Amino acid sequence: MLNPLDSRHLYNMKSIMSIGGMICSRCKEGFQPHEEIVNSLGEVWHKECFVCCQCFRPFPDGLFFEFEQRKYCEYDFQVLYAPCCGRCKEFITGRVIKALKNNWHPHCFLCQLCQAPLADKGFFNNAGRALCFNCNAKEKAAAIGKNSCVKCHGIIDELPLRISGETYHPYHFNCSKCSIELTSDARMVNKELFCLRCHDNMGIPICGACHRPIEERVVHALGKQWHIEHFVCAKCEKPFLGHRHYEKRGVAYCETHYHQLFGNLCSFCNSVIVGDSIKIFQKAWCVNHFSCSGCDRKFPSKSRIFEFDLKPLCKKCFEKFPAELKKRLKKQYEQNLHEK
């Protein structure tokens, strides 16, 4: 009589009886003829055995994740092992960037100032912020009140060369014409850099206000050339921007201040006088607005006009003044007549 087979013996017998000697990697049982077999990474499984080791459910679309020789569905693997991105807060199942005490997707690890990708370029930890080389250099320079060079990321101690809003050490560039090393006063024409001497020899006009080259629209006036924003009224300093200007003694004025300064603006309505005007006391009036400043009546024909505080007065209003004031005003009036 044979002794009962132990479990190991029975396992071996079942293995021999299974198809081709194959056994399931999970339950260690053999396979029946025509039974569906799952083959994955050199191992075979019963279909019902090929499941997530955490939730025991089949893998959706056959997709699984393996860790320490155990297979997981995507959800359980993320919950158990996948880190969470510090930017988008989603699970990371591929390449992980570890920085600033956090984990990141490569496409989520960006410069906090300019949003440039940092995963393959390196970064600087600036006060807890991940910054690219350029932004870190700008922050360091700004902290001491200086500019940083976009090309070498160094601090610029001298005057910077500005190109398209960015700052550079001038010595990184040479003149496109004479090849001399550039300085901060270099000029750009058609995306090429020139030293100031070569630039001026190109016949580019110079602004009569700022004395710098004019590379865009030019205003020709007063025998000079101007940047459009620098050609302004001498009184209010507002640019004309293509509107009419008035010239007087080599100076340009807007219409309002020209007439105000040179007697063609009505002292009553403050408007430009069109047609006839009355000029007296170094001022001008529209004919219809010239009246006594005391009673607001029109002056009779050939009547005497008195002046008080550079304003016209009729004889009736003048007589109402105190005797001493009238005496002083008459003396002043006679003195003005004598000077004329």
Side-chain angles (χ1 to χ4, degrees), residues 263-266 269 271-279 284-290:
N264 293 317
L265 202 68
C266 178
C269 66
S271 299
V272 176
I273 301 173
V274 179
D276 295 335
S277 65
I278 297 176
K279 295 183 179 180
W285 282 264
C286 298
V287 174
N288 295 332
H289 292 156
F290 186 62

Side-chain angles (χ1 to χ4, degrees), residues 68-230:
E68 295 181 347
Q69 298 183 346
R70 305 185 70 189
K71 293 178 174 57
Y72 299 87
C73 65
E74 183 177 13
Y75 175 78
D76 286 321
F77 179 80
Q78 290 177 343
V79 171
L80 292 172
Y81 303 112
C84 188
C85 178
R87 182 180 177 89
C88 69
K89 309 306 179 185
E90 297 291 336
F91 289 118
I92 308 173
T93 55
R95 182 186 174 193
V96 181
I97 304 295
K98 293 182 177 293
L100 303 179
K101 299 180 181 180
N102 216 328
N103 301 290
W104 317 81
H105 289 107
H107 60 271
C108 288
F109 190 50
L110 309 174
C111 173
Q112 293 189 27
L113 292 182
C114 70
Q115 305 303 306
L118 301 175
D120 299 314
K121 296 182 179 180
F123 73 98
F124 283 93
N125 184 346
N126 187 306
R129 301 175 299 170
L131 300 183
C132 65
F133 287 91
N134 192 29
C135 289
N136 183 67
K138 287 182 178 179
E139 290 290 289
K140 289 175 62 178
I144 57 176
K146 294 186 177 181
N147 297 289
S148 66
C149 177
V150 174
K151 190 168 185 177
C152 69
H153 307 296
I155 292 176
I156 305 174
D157 292 318
E158 66 274 18
L159 288 174
L161 175 61
R162 298 184 181 275
I163 305 174
S164 300
E166 300 286 1
T167 55
Y168 298 84
H169 286 110
Y171 55 73
H172 289 313
F173 303 90
N174 296 87
C175 175
S176 297
K177 187 173 182 180
C178 68
S179 300
I180 191 174
E181 188 177 281
L182 295 180
T183 58
S184 60
D185 58 3
R187 300 288 182 264
M188 177 175 283
V189 179
N190 297 327
K191 298 184 179 180
E192 289 187 308
L193 289 169
F194 297 89
C195 66
L196 189 59
R197 184 183 64 179
C198 291
H199 180 272
D200 291 347
N201 289 338
M202 296 167 66
I204 296 176
I206 303 299
C207 177
C210 68
H211 306 293
R212 296 178 70 87
I214 306 172
E215 298 174 357
E216 296 180 354
R217 184 178 174 185
V218 182
V219 176
H220 297 270
L222 306 178
K224 297 181 181 179
Q225 296 165 315
W226 315 78
H227 286 108
I228 186 170
E229 66 273 14
H230 291 165

